[in-house]
Amino acid sequence: MKPVQIADGIYWVGGIDWRLRNFHGYLTQRGSSYNAYLIIDEKVTLVDSVKSYLTQDMLDRIASLVDVSKIDYLVANHVEMDHSGAIPEVAKLAPNMQIVCSPKGAEGLRMHYGELNYKVVKTGDSLNLGKRSLNFVQTPMVHWPDNMLSFCPEEKILFSNDAFGQHIATSERFDDELPVHIVMEEAAKYYANIVLPYGNQVKAALSAVSGFEIKTIAPSHGVIWRKHLPEILGSYTKWCTNETVSKAVVVYDTMWDSTAKMAGAVAEAFENCGILTTIVNPQDSHISDIMTSLLSARFVCVGSPTLNNNMLPSVAAFLTYLKGLAPKGRVGMAFGSYGWGGQSVALVEDELRKCGFDLMQSARFQYIPDGEKLAALTAQVEEEIKKFILPETV
Ligand code: FEO
């Protein structure tokens, strides 16, 4: 694939990771891309790079436009290796190149790649490239402490690095070249699985760029936003507040179907209250997809039978992942069946409490719940929902 011009003298020269299916445990069913951008001006500037194994792809794209040794600056908006992996090789080929990064970026890059020619910039600093310039905004924790954004005011392009990304491998480079629902679905999945713990930092980043006149957002993963900016900016504005809607996700695993029956009874209570409900089993749905379903869900109900005095490992894995991503403002409920010990429900509830969730009354049945018990469970959950229901429904 050739470089793709995104503005006069500015090109996408990144790498496409068609086979990637696992990114930190996140199922990337559409692969991903690592977007690097080349600005050809009096100072030739590369914004970000690629994972090391795609270095040659990127170098070939650059070489079709300009001699790699002529690169003056490499702007490293982020230390993580999916964007910095090619730095040692580019630094070797362009010995006079300066690596422009935040103070934390320089610390991190030194620990990854040793002493190179670093130029440290902070929020408010600007780099003159000739006809164009880059303004820098530090955005710590979106996604690591070192992150920053680079804005080119002359072209109105925001090089946003991880922010506004989507894990999509595609030969299309722009948001209007793919169905928008796919791009937004992947942007939501990316937010739910990577950015979710950092809502306050996203809020600060959105505020920092609110004064910029942005025509294009060029993230480091997925397609470039040139048409659907209102949708993605509006979604980030909503997601970063942890705003929820009256929606329920019922997550369960089961041994002999008793906890499955309970999941159905719990879901029925939400349906009776007019609340949109999704039932998922982590054996069938990847935990990263479950996170996408609950990005805006107010209710998260988790069920597990007791196995060896514990919950099922599939449910434990989901809860560990959920706790790490720390969604705020949720209501949780634990439920499950048991044969004798019956410890799973208290253990699930304890994890939901550690997530900071408000809790509805839990439910636990020995062996197989009959119709009467399931009806009672539905009635119990309906009563609990009323304590937490929001005025609006989906
Ligand atoms: Fe795409 Fe935080 O790296």
Side-chain angles (χ1 to χ4, degrees), residues 21-29 143 167 188-197 251 282 285-295 300 302 311 313-327 351-352 354-355 357:
R21 292 295 179 270
N22 181 334
F23 194 96
H24 309 162
Y26 164 168
L27 173 69
T28 48
Q29 66 269 51
H143 161 226
H167 283 309
K189 182 169 184 180
Y190 186 94
Y191 191 96
N193 286 277
I194 292 184
V195 190
L196 185 59
V251 185
S285 302
H286 197 272
I287 52 177
S288 55
D289 287 317
I290 299 176
M291 282 310 301
T292 315
S293 343
L294 61 80
L295 178 57
V300 183
V302 182
M311 67 183 92
S314 54
V315 176
F318 164 70
L319 287 169
T320 300
Y321 194 64
L322 176 73
K323 196 165 56 176
L325 289 164
E351 292 303 302
L352 294 173
K354 287 179 192 158
C355 289
F357 292 5

Side-chain angles (χ1 to χ4, degrees), residues 204-347:
L206 288 171
S207 158
V209 302
S210 62
F212 296 164
E213 195 187 338
I214 301 170
K215 200 173 87 184
T216 306
I217 297 177
S220 59
H221 296 288
V223 292
I224 296 161
W225 302 93
R226 68 178 176 190
K227 180 174 180 191
H228 299 289
L229 273 77
E231 288 95 321
I232 188 63
L233 288 167
S235 294
Y236 263 62
T237 303
K238 194 175 63 178
W239 294 333
C240 76
T241 62
N242 284 289
E243 185 185 309
T244 58
V245 294
S246 288
K247 178 180 162 189
V249 180
V250 180
V251 185
Y252 78 97
D253 199 356
T254 196
M255 288 165 65
W256 290 103
D257 248 10
S258 293
T259 302
K261 286 180 178 146
M262 293 180 77
V266 169
E268 196 175 324
F270 286 101
E271 286 157 15
N272 291 346
C273 293
I275 295 173
L276 188 71
T277 310
T278 305
I279 307 178
V280 280
N281 183 323
Q283 300 274 8
D284 312 325
S285 302
H286 197 272
I287 52 177
S288 55
D289 287 317
I290 299 176
M291 282 310 301
T292 315
S293 343
L294 61 80
L295 178 57
S296 62
R298 179 145 173 79
F299 298 95
V300 183
C301 304
V302 182
S304 172
T306 297
L307 174 73
N308 300 329
N309 303 330
N310 215 314
M311 67 183 92
L312 287 178
S314 54
V315 176
F318 164 70
L319 287 169
T320 300
Y321 194 64
L322 176 73
K323 196 165 56 176
L325 289 164
K328 308 269 186 312
R330 314 300 161 123
V331 178
M333 178 196 170
F335 64 92
S337 68
Y338 66 101
W340 48 99
Q343 296 92 337
S344 64
V345 173
L347 292 169

Side-chain angles (χ1 to χ4, degrees), residues 23 78 80 82-83 143-144 162 190 220-221:
F23 194 96
H78 185 18
E80 195 166 10
D82 48 338
H83 311 297
H143 161 226
W144 279 10
D162 275 342
Y190 186 94
S220 59
H221 296 288

